[in-house]
């Protein structure tokens, strides 16, 4: 007989069925034992009456504990009115067991899975595969999947093509430190893991893709915080022949519809999303990602806003200039002349925009500087020599000489969005296998030392 899900039993009263899953709890009530069986659809009460079982099963049941993996054949029965459990989707029925098979026994789990709120997080991360069985993690990962599939459907319907870009590549100078990969075949040379697909998505625009998106993993070797992980996921997108308004409109509409469909219990505080200049945000709220919620105790309130008009450049510690967001952004049209003349540098504003949500930066993007001469000026203002510009950005500058279309895009951070929708305090709770604050994976025990042979192959010697 094929296995059915626990939830399906509610429409199978009077039938014999097979279920499979884990023992959530075992309750012994004298002659009768109850197993609350768990599968991905939820819980189902199974009644064990020894006289109803076959001989082999009767032998087994006394040894069965929480988290054993079982297959149970039994009869679906309606519960009496007094026995109905209104808190359980399967609360109107129960399964009277006829045959119990142990698919795999389980050691006693190192923590209680039902409510992990007060369990030491390091323990949860070490046994993440058990933590994933908890209602909290199941709920969060299912929500994450719903958010991502909504975005995918929305963008496909809007004519976007999902394109994968390399994870083993050359560094992208966007501010964060990169993870490096030594090359075996090219001694002394290194790849970098991309901190975002920024350059590739722009090159896809040169390549005529016009509307690109990707659920893209990004890698940044930064100090961790609750809203930062060394690898995280962006909904990266880019469009050709667009202006700022087009990108903001698309993303705003997509977010509004996503909230409505995936988390209808949430309320968006203000539509259209308010737009605040960087200067106003800093003057009024002292932050470029202000928490604009009118009522911060309301877990269902989402205060989206756009922050716009960022200064293009900021001073470096040694008195030079660096870009404030990313070097590929375009200045505001009225400031293009200043860029070309390299004058009024602190006054140059960029066509960058950030999406903020409840005090978090939930996304960032810009209209890009698609004219090679203008892009070159940015690098000159940053003090790069002609050789450095050539070696670091030559491929972009050259690509732009082949009729690069005007383009722009954005990258909402999926982890942060899902964290806020799930009401979780940090993004680790919405990532299946996250890393600790000091960037370790406690389950896999990474990073790890390597045998000398492996290091020799990639021409690496460890400094003592
Ligand atoms: P940016 O660096 O602003 O832009 O990143 C975009 C969004 O990604 C999320 N994010 C993170 N989430 C978790 N952990 C991190 N360490 C982390 N760092 C960033 C944030 C952020 O708003 N290429 C540009 C986008 C563009 O211009 O189109 C970029 O990466 O939500």
């Amino acid at each position: 007989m094929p296995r059915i899900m626990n939830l399906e039993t509610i429409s199978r009263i009077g039938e014999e069925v097979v279920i499979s899953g884990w023992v959530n709890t075992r309750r012994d009530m004298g002659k009768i034992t109850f197993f609350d069986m768990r599968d991905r659809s939820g819980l189902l009460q199974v009644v064990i009456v020894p006289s109803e079982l076959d001989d082999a099963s009767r032998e087994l049941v006394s040894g069965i504990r929480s988290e054993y993996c079982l297959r149970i054949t039994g009869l679906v029965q309606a519960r009496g009115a007094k026995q109905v459990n209104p808190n359980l989707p399967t609360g109107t029925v129960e399964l009277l067991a006829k045959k119990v098979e142990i698919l795999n026994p389980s050691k006693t789990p190192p923590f209680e899975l039902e409510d992990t709120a007060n369990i030491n997080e390091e323990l949860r991360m070490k046994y993440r595969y058990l933590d994933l069985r908890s209602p909290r993690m199941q709920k969060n990962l299912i929500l994450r999947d719903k958010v991502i599939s909504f975005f995918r459907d929305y963008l496909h319907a809007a004519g976007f093509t999902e394109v994968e870009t390399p994870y083993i590549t050359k560094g992208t100078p966007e501010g964060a430190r990169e993870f490096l990969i030594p090359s075996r075949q090219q001694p002394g040379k290194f790849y970098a893991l991309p901190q975002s697909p920024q350059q590739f998505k722009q090159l896809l625009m040169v390549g005529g893709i016009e509307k690109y998106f990707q659920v893209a993993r990004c890698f940044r070797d930064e100090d961790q915080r609750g809203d930062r992980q060394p690898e995280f996921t962006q909904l990266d997108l880019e469009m050709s022949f667009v202006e700022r308004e087009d990108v903001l409109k698309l993303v705003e509409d997509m977010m509004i519809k996503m909230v409505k469909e995936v988390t209808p219990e949430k309320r968006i505080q203000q539509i259209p999303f308010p737009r605040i200049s960087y200067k106003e945000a800093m003057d009024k709220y002292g932050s470029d990602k202000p928490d604009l919620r009118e009522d911060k105790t309301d877990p269902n309130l989402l205060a989206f806003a756009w922050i716009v008009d960022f200064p293009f450049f900021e001073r470096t510690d040694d008195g030079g200039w660096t870009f404030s967001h990313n070097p590929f952004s375009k200045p505001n049209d009225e400031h293009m002349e200043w860029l070309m003349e390299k004058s009024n540098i602190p006054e140059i504003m960029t066509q960058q925009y950030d999406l903020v949500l409840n005090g978090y930066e939930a996304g960032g993007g810009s209209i890009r500087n698609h004219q090679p001469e203008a892009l070159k000026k940015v690098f000159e203002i940053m003090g790069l020599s002609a050789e450095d510009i050539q070696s670091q950005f030559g491929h972009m500058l050259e690509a732009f000489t082949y009729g690069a279309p005007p383009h722009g895009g954005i990258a909402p951070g999926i982890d942060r969005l899902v964290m806020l929708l799930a009401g979780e305090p940090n993004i680790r709770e919405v990532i299946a296998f996250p890393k600790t604050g000091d960037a370790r994976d406690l389950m896999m025990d990474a990073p790890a030392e390597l045998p000398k042979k492996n290091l020799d192959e990639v021409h690496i010697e460890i400094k003592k």
Side-chain angles (χ1 to χ4, degrees):
M1 227 192 292
R3 171 219 186 187
I4 65 164
M5 302 306 300
N6 286 348
L7 191 56
E8 289 173 63
T9 54
I10 54 178
S11 58
R12 307 289 284 268
I13 292 170
E15 292 179 39
E16 188 163 291
V17 301
V18 176
I19 62 153
S20 297
W22 293 266
V23 180
N24 198 60
T25 43
R26 173 195 175 113
R27 280 171 291 138
D28 289 288
M29 318 287 266
K31 282 213 179 75
I32 300 181
T33 299
F34 294 101
F35 291 163
D36 281 338
M37 289 297 293
R38 187 184 68 237
D39 67 14
R40 72 187 149 80
S41 75
L43 298 176
L44 173 67
Q45 174 164 289
V46 175
V47 191
I48 310 281
V49 181
S51 59
E52 297 285 337
L53 292 174
D54 64 22
D55 292 345
S57 305
R58 204 175 304 124
E59 296 269 297
L60 283 178
V61 289
S62 64
I64 292 173
R65 302 273 167 266
S66 290
E67 299 310 318
Y68 270 49
C69 185
L70 306 181
R71 174 164 48 220
I72 301 178
T73 310
L75 183 68
V76 182
Q77 298 178 333
R79 294 200 203 182
K82 277 194 185 144
Q83 274 75 44
V84 166
N85 179 351
N87 301 319
L88 208 61
T90 61
T92 52
V93 298
E94 60 188 14
L95 187 73
L96 178 65
K98 301 282 180 188
K99 181 177 180 187
V100 176
E101 297 161 85
I102 296 178
L103 302 177
N104 223 341
S106 172
K107 295 202 284 184
T108 304
F111 52 89
E112 195 55 57
L113 303 182
E114 195 50 35
D115 180 6
T116 59
N118 297 314
I119 308 294
N120 174 293
E121 201 191 354
E122 297 223 332
L123 195 64
R124 289 176 54 210
M125 284 168 77
K126 175 157 188 245
Y127 294 97
R128 191 62 157 185
Y129 44 85
L130 294 179
D131 190 32
L132 291 176
R133 292 182 187 174
S134 68
R136 176 189 199 170
M137 289 306 299
Q138 293 267 321
K139 195 171 118 270
N140 288 351
L141 292 186
I142 289 169
L143 174 66
R144 184 182 177 109
D145 173 59
K146 283 194 176 139
V147 170
I148 291 176
S149 48
F150 179 90
F151 287 149
R152 278 210 163 97
D153 291 348
Y154 182 97
L155 291 171
H156 281 139
F160 282 74
T161 304
E162 182 163 19
V163 183
E164 291 156 282
T165 55
Y167 283 163
I168 300 177
T169 180
K170 184 174 167 166
T172 57
E174 286 175 52
R177 191 182 298 111
E178 286 161 338
F179 286 101
L180 304 175
I181 309 170
S183 165
R184 176 181 60 83
Q185 291 179 324
Q186 317 289 330
K189 294 196 174 170
F190 293 82
Y191 303 95
L193 295 173
Q195 44 184 300
S196 85
Q198 183 64 37
Q199 294 193 36
F200 288 109
K201 69 172 171 174
Q202 293 196 244
L203 294 168
L204 287 171
M205 295 302 106
V206 182
I209 297 296
E210 290 199 30
K211 284 179 160 190
Y212 143 92
F213 85 98
Q214 179 180 194
V215 177
R217 197 69 61 81
C218 303
F219 307 89
R220 301 185 185 180
D221 189 359
E222 305 169 298
D223 291 337
Q224 308 310 310
R225 290 193 307 235
D227 67 346
R228 266 196 199 160
Q229 278 277 302
E231 50 180 308
F232 63 97
T233 307
Q234 289 181 347
L235 180 68
D236 191 41
L237 61 95
E238 196 78 7
M239 291 181 272
S240 294
F241 310 109
V242 290
E243 295 179 354
R244 185 179 85 176
E245 206 50 40
D246 302 302
V247 181
L248 300 195
K249 246 174 91 182
L250 174 101
V251 173
E252 193 163 321
D253 184 64
M254 178 170 69
M255 292 295 166
I256 292 167
K257 291 190 169 134
M258 182 274 289
V259 169
K260 207 166 158 195
E261 180 166 315
V262 180
T263 51
E265 70 281 9
K266 305 267 174 204
R267 182 172 74 81
I268 297 178
Q269 180 167 287
Q270 196 180 334
I271 295 175
F273 299 170
R275 294 187 188 180
I276 304 171
S277 74
Y278 171 80
K279 186 173 181 317
E280 187 190 343
M282 294 309 287
D283 288 351
K284 214 162 143 184
Y285 308 101
S287 165
D288 59 358
K289 38 181 186 298
D291 187 348
L292 299 170
R293 282 175 299 169
E294 287 150 3
D295 177 2
K296 295 198 173 61
T297 61
D298 177 354
N300 284 332
L301 190 59
L302 298 174
F304 283 101
W306 292 107
I307 310 295
V308 295
D309 293 333
F310 287 79
F312 201 133
F313 297 98
E314 58 191 30
R315 281 276 181 204
T316 56
D317 293 340
D318 52 15
W321 293 104
T322 186
F323 52 86
S324 62
H325 173 65
N326 91 45
F328 305 111
S329 301
K330 194 178 182 184
N332 285 2
D333 291 335
E334 65 274 21
H335 298 161
M336 194 51 135
E337 224 176 284
W338 292 344
L339 179 75
M340 298 311 284
E341 292 165 356
K342 297 192 259 183
S343 67
N344 299 325
I345 292 171
E347 264 80 38
I348 301 176
M349 294 288 143
T350 144
Q351 297 194 38
Q352 181 205 327
Y353 30 78
D354 276 359
L355 179 66
V356 300
L357 174 57
N358 294 8
Y360 288 88
E361 186 197 308
S366 65
I367 298 300
R368 323 296 178 187
N369 200 350
H370 70 287
Q371 281 152 337
E373 281 316 308
L375 181 56
K376 219 171 175 175
K377 296 289 177 207
V378 174
F379 303 130
E380 289 173 11
I381 290 174
M382 284 162 55
L384 266 65
S385 67
E387 297 82 70
D388 283 349
I389 295 176
Q390 190 48 37
S391 74
Q392 289 180 36
F393 302 102
H395 58 287
M396 293 291 279
L397 291 167
E398 180 169 23
F400 286 1
T401 61
Y402 291 98
H407 60 283
I410 190 169
I414 287 179
D415 313 274
R416 288 185 194 172
L417 266 176
V418 177
M419 168 189 84
L420 291 165
L421 294 175
E424 287 288 3
N426 66 65
I427 62 173
R428 296 186 295 278
E429 301 296 347
V430 298
I431 296 174
F433 299 105
K435 304 214 170 31
T436 58
D438 53 358
R440 285 177 305 141
D441 179 331
L442 300 177
M443 185 185 68
M444 301 295 286
D445 194 18
E449 285 169 5
L450 286 174
K452 183 166 183 306
K453 177 176 161 290
N454 297 141
L455 295 178
D456 284 345
E457 272 173 2
V458 292
H459 322 284
I460 292 281
E461 207 172 336
I462 304 293
K463 263 193 189 169
K464 288 280 180 279

